[in-house]
C-alpha cells in the first residue's frame, strides 16, 4: 500500500527539552581502540536534526569521517565516527578534543564554542549582524565579478562569501557590511536600493523566463549554517538534470525502476553517483543506498539533504574503500511514513545525487591571501574573467585585516594556468596566490595544472574581456 505509515510519533517540544536536560549528550573520544583513527562516540536523547548537528561540527573542523555507525531507535541517539585529520593522523590535540566535546554537548549558538582554540573553523563563522545576499542564477562567466563590482560601487564591504555551481545553475551567499561605518547596514531604503541594483545586473544576464532570484536578508537572531543554506537554495532551484553519458543522474528515471540494474555498469563507467531506494518491510523502513566517489564533507552533504527533506535517519552505516564511499540509511519521513510511491523515490534519488555532486565541481584550486580592503573580491574575479577563467566554486573570508579565499576555476578550452596569470592576480590584489596543480577530480582529463608558458588568448576573447572591464567602470544603474 502506497504511503503506508508505520507509526506516527508523538512530539511535545516541552517534553523533548526536558529529556535533553535530564539526559544531556555524552561524548567519548577514544584514541586507543583503533591504531589508524580516532573514535568519537556520541549518545544522547534523539531529536530531528541531531545527526546533522554532530556531523556539521566535525566537518567544520576539516576532519575526515572514514566510517560511521548510527542508531537512533527507541528515542535515543547513538553514533560512532571513525575520524582523522586531513593528513590521516589521529586527533590528539587536547584543545581540539575539548572543543569537540563542548560543541556537541551544547547548542551551536552558544558563544563559548564559536571559536576553537588555536584552530580555524571552516566555513568561517559569520557574525549574526551581517546582511546576507542570497542569489540563485543561471551560471554564466563573469556574473560574480559584476555582482561584486556593483557591491563595491555601493559602498558594501564583503566580509565572507561562498558560491557553488552545478548543472549550469549557480548559487551564492555574500555577507556584507557598510564600508565607511564598519558596521551592519540597517537603513531599509539603502537595502532596497542595493537589491534593486543587483537585480538589474542579474536580469541583464538572463533571458525571459529563466529562473533567477536575488534576496537580501537582514540580520537575524539565528542563522542557518552557510553550506546548509546553499544546499537549500540549490534544492529549491532544482539544479539537477540527467547525465549525458549514462542517461540518468539519480539511479533511474521516473518509471524506470526495473531498468536500474541495466544502467549500473554505465553509471560506474562515467563516475556518476548511484542512489537506490528499497523497502525493509519487516521493520518498516525505507533503505537508501548511495555509492559514489569519496571526498571530504560527503557525509554532511547527504545528511543535510535528508534532514531538509524531512526524513529521519534511524540506522546508518557509512564506509569508504579506496576512492569509493558507500552509505546506507534506514529512514522514514518525519510523519512516520516510508517512501512507497515511485514519484517520491524518484525525487529523493535526484535530490541526493545533486547534493553529492554539487561540491564535486571540477576545476583547478587557487588559494589567495591578501590584505582585506573594499573591492578585493571584485578585483580578483575581474582578473579571472580577463584571463578567460570561470569560477566554479569559491569560499572567501576575512579576519581582522586579512582576507583569504579558495577559488576553483575552469576554462572551456582546457588551457593551463600560466605563471603570467598568477603574476597578474598577485599584482592586482597585492597578495599571494598558491596554485594546486593536482586536479580536483581525477576523472577530468581536461583539467590542467600550472604552465610555464604564457597563455594564448584569441583576439576576440581579449577584446571582449577589455570591453567588460570598461563597462564595469560605469557603476550601478541609477533609479
Amino acid at each position: 500500500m502506497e504511503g503506508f505509515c508505520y507509526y506516527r510519533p508523538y512530539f511535545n517540544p516541552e517534553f523533548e527539552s526536558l529529556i535533553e536536560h535530564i539526559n544531556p549528550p555524552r561524548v567519548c573520544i577514544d584514541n586507543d581502540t583503533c591504531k589508524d583513527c580516532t573514535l568519537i562516540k556520541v549518545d544522547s536523547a534523539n531529536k530531528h536534526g541531531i545527526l546533522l548537528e554532530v556531523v556539521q561540527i566535525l566537518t567544520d573542523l576539516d576532519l575526515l569521517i572514514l566510517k560511521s555507525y548510527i542508531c537512533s531507535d527507541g528515542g535515543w541517539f547513538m553514533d560512532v565516527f571513525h575520524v582523522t585529520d586531513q593528513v590521516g593522523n589521529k586527533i590528539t590535540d587536547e584543545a581540539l578534543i575539548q572543543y569537540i566535546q563542548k560543541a556537541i554537548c551544547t547548542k551551536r549558538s552558544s558563544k563559548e564554542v564559536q571559536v576553537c582554540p588555536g584552530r580555524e573553523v571552516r566555513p568561517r563563522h559569520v557574525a549574526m549582524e551581517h546582511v546576507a545576499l542570497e542569489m540563485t542564477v543561471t551560471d554564466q562567466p563573469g556574473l560574480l565579478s559584476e555582482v561584486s563590482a556593483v557591491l563595491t560601487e555601493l559602498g558594501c564591504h564583503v566580509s565572507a562569501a561562498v558560491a557553488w555551481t552545478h548543472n549550469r545553475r549557480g548559487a551564492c551567499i555574500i555577507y556584507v557590511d557598510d564600508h565607511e561605518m564598519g558596521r551592519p547596514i540597517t537603513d531599509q531604503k539603502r537595502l532596497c536600493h542595493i537589491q534593486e541594483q543587483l537585480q538589474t545586473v542579474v536580469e541583464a544576464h538572463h533571458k525571459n523566463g529563466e529562473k533567477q532570484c536575488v534576496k537580501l536578508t537582514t540580520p537575524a537572531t539565528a542563522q542557518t549554517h552557510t553550506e546548509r543554506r546553499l544546499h537549500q537554495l540549490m534544492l529549491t532551484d532544482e539544479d539537477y538534470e540527467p547525465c549525458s553519458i549514462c542517461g540518468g543522474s539519480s539511479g533511474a528515471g521516473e518509471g524506470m525502476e526495473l531498468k536500474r540494474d541495466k544502467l549500473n555498469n554505465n553509471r560506474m563507467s562515467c563516475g556518476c553517483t548511484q542512489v537506490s531506494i528499497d523497502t525493509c518491510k519487516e521493520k518498516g523502513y525505507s533503505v537508501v543506498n548511495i555509492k559514489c566517489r569519496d571526498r571530504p564533507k560527503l557525509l554532511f552533504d547527504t545528511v543535510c539533504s535528508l534532514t531538509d527533506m524531512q526524513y529521519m535517519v534511524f540506522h546508518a552505516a557509512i564506509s569508504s574503500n579506496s576512492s569509493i564511499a558507500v552509505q546506507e540509511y534506514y529512514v522514514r519521513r518525519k510523519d512516520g511514513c516510508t517512501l512507497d510511491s515511485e514519484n517520491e523515490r524518484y525525487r529523493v534519488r535526484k535530490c541526493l545525487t545533486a547534493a553529492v555532486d554539487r561540491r564535486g565541481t571540477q576545476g583547478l584550486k587557487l588559494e589567495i591571501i591578501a590584505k582585506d580592503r573594499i573591492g578585493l573580491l571584485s578585483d580578483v574575479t575581474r582578473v579571472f574573467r580577463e584571463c578567460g577563467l570561470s569560477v566554479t566554486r569559491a569560499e572567501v573570508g576575512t579576519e581582522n585585516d586579512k582576507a583569504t579565499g579558495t577559488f576553483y576555476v575552469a576554462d572551456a578550452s582546457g588551457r593551463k594556468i600560466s605563471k603570467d596569470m598568477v603574476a597578474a592576480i598577485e599584482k592586482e590584489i597585492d597578495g599571494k596566490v598558491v596554485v594546486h596543480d593536482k586536479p580536483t577530480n581525477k576523472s577530468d582529463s581536461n583539467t590542467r595544472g600550472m604552465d610555464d608558458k604564457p597563455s594564448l588568448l584569441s583576439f576576440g576573447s581579449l577584446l571582449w574581456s577589455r570591453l567588460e572591464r570598461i563597462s564595469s567602470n560605469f557603476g550601478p544603474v541609477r533609479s
Side-chain angles (χ1 to χ4, degrees), residues 8-298:
R8 194 176 298 276
Y10 171 75
F11 175 76
N12 186 317
E14 294 182 0
F15 179 73
E16 185 179 72
S17 178
L18 177 62
I19 291 296
E20 290 182 18
H21 181 73
I22 296 174
N23 299 292
R26 294 191 297 270
V27 181
C28 173
I29 298 183
D30 176 9
N31 272 314
D32 299 325
T33 302
C34 293
K35 64 178 182 179
D36 56 354
C37 66
T38 297
L39 300 187
I40 299 179
K41 306 172 184 178
V42 182
D43 65 283
S44 71
N46 190 32
K47 64 175 181 179
H48 182 64
I50 187 172
L51 174 60
L52 177 58
E53 290 178 10
V54 175
V55 172
Q56 178 179 302
I57 291 170
L58 301 179
T59 301
D60 282 352
L61 293 171
D62 282 339
L63 300 180
L64 301 180
I65 301 175
L66 309 178
K67 294 181 181 179
S68 182
Y69 304 97
I70 299 160
C71 179
S72 61
D73 258 345
W76 198 257
F77 172 82
M78 293 178 289
D79 198 355
V80 178
F81 297 95
H82 296 234
V83 304
T84 68
D85 62 16
Q86 288 287 319
V87 293
N89 297 324
K90 290 185 177 183
I91 312 304
T92 56
D93 184 348
E94 286 299 325
L96 179 57
I97 290 174
Q98 291 177 14
Y99 173 84
I100 295 172
Q101 292 173 325
K102 184 180 293 186
I104 294 176
C105 293
T106 57
K107 292 185 177 180
R108 289 285 291 156
S109 59
S110 175
K111 293 183 179 180
E112 63 179 333
V113 299
Q114 285 293 315
V115 179
C116 179
R119 189 180 180 92
E120 187 178 85
V121 179
R122 298 168 66 92
R124 300 161 183 83
H125 291 293
V126 180
M128 298 297 182
E129 63 267 17
H130 286 301
V131 171
L133 166 64
E134 298 181 351
M135 295 195 311
T136 53
V137 295
T138 300
D139 180 30
Q140 297 185 25
L143 183 54
L144 179 60
S145 175
E146 291 193 30
V147 167
S148 55
V150 170
L151 289 173
T152 301
E153 290 288 339
L154 294 172
C156 298
H157 169 251
V158 176
S159 59
V162 183
W164 289 352
T165 62
H166 177 239
N167 283 344
R168 298 198 300 273
R169 302 298 301 170
C172 71
I173 301 176
I174 303 176
Y175 297 97
V176 299
D177 52 34
D178 184 272
H179 168 59
E180 294 184 357
M181 305 298 292
R183 61 187 184 188
I185 302 173
T186 56
D187 184 355
Q188 290 299 319
K189 289 185 178 179
R190 185 181 177 190
L191 290 172
C192 290
H193 178 65
I194 293 172
Q195 180 163 321
E196 289 174 358
Q197 299 301 312
L198 295 172
Q199 186 72 54
T200 300
V201 172
V202 170
E203 287 178 352
H205 282 263
H206 289 73
K207 300 177 183 178
N208 291 335
E210 281 190 318
K211 294 184 296 182
Q212 49 86 13
C213 179
V214 177
K215 179 182 178 183
L216 276 174
T217 59
T218 54
T221 55
Q223 180 176 297
T224 304
H225 187 274
T226 303
E227 294 185 344
R228 180 180 183 183
R229 182 60 185 151
L230 275 173
H231 275 300
Q232 293 172 347
L233 290 174
M234 300 199 84
L235 179 65
T236 303
D237 197 49
E238 298 181 341
D239 63 321
Y240 47 78
E241 63 179 15
C243 171
S244 59
I245 299 177
C246 70
S249 64
S250 60
E254 186 172 4
M256 295 177 64
E257 187 73 22
L258 296 178
K259 298 182 180 181
R260 184 178 63 199
D261 294 336
K262 184 178 180 181
L263 290 172
N264 276 344
N265 291 334
N266 290 337
R267 285 195 301 276
M268 285 305 296
S269 64
C270 72
C272 281
T273 300
Q274 299 181 52
V275 181
S276 63
I277 301 176
D278 300 304
T279 301
C280 178
K281 296 182 180 180
E282 295 79 7
K283 300 294 184 179
Y285 296 117
S286 291
V287 185
V288 179
N289 288 282
I290 304 173
K291 187 175 182 180
C292 61
R293 296 184 183 277
D294 193 20
R295 59 165 176 77
K297 300 189 178 184
L298 177 61

Side-chain angles (χ1 to χ4, degrees), residues 376-445:
L376 180 59
L377 179 61
S378 175
D379 290 341
V380 172
T381 52
R382 174 175 51 77
V383 175
F384 286 156
R385 183 176 60 182
E386 291 177 354
C387 292
L389 301 174
S390 298
V391 177
T392 60
R393 186 152 57 94
E395 180 184 334
V396 178
T398 59
E399 184 177 358
N400 298 324
D401 63 345
K402 177 184 175 183
T404 58
T406 301
F407 296 87
Y408 293 81
V409 297
D411 176 17
S413 66
R415 186 176 62 249
K416 295 181 179 181
I417 304 296
S418 70
K419 288 186 176 180
D420 288 346
M421 288 185 184
V422 174
I425 298 172
E426 290 181 331
K427 181 180 179 180
E428 190 69 37
I429 68 174
D430 190 22
K432 178 69 174 176
V433 178
V434 178
V435 181
H436 294 259
D437 289 340
K438 186 177 180 180
T440 59
N441 190 326
K442 294 181 179 179
S443 66
D444 181 18
S445 59

Side-chain angles (χ1 to χ4, degrees), residues 6-9 46-48 50-51 69-79 283-287 306 310-317 328-339:
Y6 186 74
Y7 83 110
R8 194 176 298 276
N46 190 32
K47 64 175 181 179
H48 182 64
I50 187 172
L51 174 60
Y69 304 97
I70 299 160
C71 179
S72 61
D73 258 345
W76 198 257
F77 172 82
M78 293 178 289
D79 198 355
K283 300 294 184 179
Y285 296 117
S286 291
V287 185
L306 286 170
Q310 301 300 307
Y311 294 105
M312 298 185 69
V313 177
F314 289 86
H315 301 277
E328 183 179 58
Y329 298 97
Y330 288 74
V331 305
R332 299 187 188 114
R333 294 206 304 255
K334 196 175 180 181
D335 62 6
C337 299
T338 54
L339 290 70

